[in-house]
């Protein structure tokens, strides 16, 4: 993932319902949408843009399984080998007593693992500065982003007409100095 400068065509919308209708209209006209930026999650946007389902839940399951096995193996080893204590003749290997700690470590490993995976996958860090295409996107506007390199001058004017017909409140060109492509293209 190399950093580079990239120019985008940005269409701003004022309402999420208009955005969803616009995505369908734009896709029907055969225009590829690079990204959609919203101030909050928009139900149905993934399906409208045909974005494949994330594999983050699979990573969460694997991290949870790791936490489960770590907790279970650690407690079995501690109670039978490292620090065996006889409590009134009760068995040293009593699995039901391990359930609370096993559950807690399963949740802890899954949560922390998914957060770390999310940050690494999206190149987020306290050491990276992020560039915002438009300040209003973090407040009350929605944006559809198009890669300007995919269009000719005539193609940009065609897309501009399609965006105006779809209800875009504002259309502009924006250059990001530091662009990280997460799609592997």
């Amino acid at each position: 993932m190399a950093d580079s400068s990239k120019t985008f065509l940005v269409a701003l919308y004022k309402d999420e319902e208009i955005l969803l209708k616009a995505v369908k209209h734009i896709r029907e006209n055969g225009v590829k949408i690079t990204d959609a930026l919203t101030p909050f999650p928009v139900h149905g946007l993934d399906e409208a843009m045909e974005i494949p389902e994330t594999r983050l839940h699979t990573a969460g399951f694997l991290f949870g399984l790791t936490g489960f096995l770590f907790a279970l193996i650690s407690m079995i080893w501690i109670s039978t080998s490292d620090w065996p204590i006889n409590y009134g003749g009760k068995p040293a290997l009593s699995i039901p007593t391990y359930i609370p700690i096993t559950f807690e470590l399963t949740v802890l490993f899954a949560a922390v693992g998914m957060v770390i995976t999310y940050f690494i996958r999206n190149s987020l860090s306290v050491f990276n500065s992020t560039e915002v295409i438009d300040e209003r996107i973090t407040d009350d506007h929605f944006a559809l982003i198009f890669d300007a390199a995919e269009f000719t001058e005539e193609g940009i004017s065609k897309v501009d007409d399609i965006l105006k017909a779809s209800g875009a409140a504002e259309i502009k060109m924006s250059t990001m100095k530091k662009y990280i492509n997460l799609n592997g293209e």
Side-chain angles (χ1 to χ4, degrees):
M1 287 189 251
D3 294 347
S4 65
S5 178
K6 200 147 187 167
T7 303
F8 295 99
L9 180 65
V10 180
L12 295 171
Y13 295 87
K14 292 185 178 183
D15 187 54
E16 63 185 288
E17 291 177 14
I18 297 171
L19 175 77
L20 285 172
K21 290 177 185 174
V23 168
K24 291 175 185 171
H25 176 72
I26 292 164
R27 291 190 49 83
E28 286 170 0
N29 284 293
V31 179
K32 181 184 174 198
I33 302 170
T34 303
D35 203 357
L37 304 174
T38 62
F40 53 83
V42 177
H43 181 70
L45 186 60
D46 295 348
E47 293 86 15
M49 290 184 59
E50 296 180 3
I51 297 174
E53 189 173 325
T54 179
R55 294 187 309 250
L56 188 60
H57 61 279
T58 305
F61 173 77
L62 294 175
F63 286 121
L65 183 63
T66 303
F68 172 81
L69 292 174
F70 175 76
L72 200 59
I73 291 169
S74 296
M75 287 185 292
I76 289 172
W77 176 71
I78 289 168
S79 64
T80 59
S81 300
D82 185 44
W83 197 262
I85 299 177
N86 187 353
Y87 289 102
K90 295 180 182 172
L93 184 62
S94 180
I95 301 292
T97 59
Y98 306 153
I99 290 174
I101 295 172
T102 303
F103 172 76
E104 294 299 331
L105 282 179
T106 300
V107 172
L108 177 71
F109 274 55
V112 171
M114 284 194 305
V115 167
I116 292 170
T117 301
Y118 179 82
F119 273 77
I120 290 171
R121 175 66 181 102
N122 292 307
S123 301
L124 298 173
S125 170
V126 295
F127 304 109
N128 291 345
S129 61
T130 55
E131 199 171 341
V132 180
I133 289 181
D134 192 301
E135 292 292 330
R136 295 172 290 179
I137 296 170
T138 61
D139 185 27
D140 63 347
H141 279 65
F142 304 84
L144 291 179
I145 311 296
F146 304 88
D147 188 357
E150 293 182 6
F151 305 109
T152 61
E153 193 66 39
E154 181 181 302
I156 288 179
S157 65
K158 179 186 171 193
V159 172
D160 192 68
D161 292 338
I162 293 170
L163 294 174
K164 287 177 185 173
S166 71
E170 183 181 334
I171 303 166
K172 65 179 185 172
M173 296 295 277
S174 180
T175 302
M176 292 182 71
K177 294 174 188 140
K178 192 181 209 183
Y179 173 72
I180 300 171
N181 189 350
L182 298 176
N183 297 326
E185 298 171 357

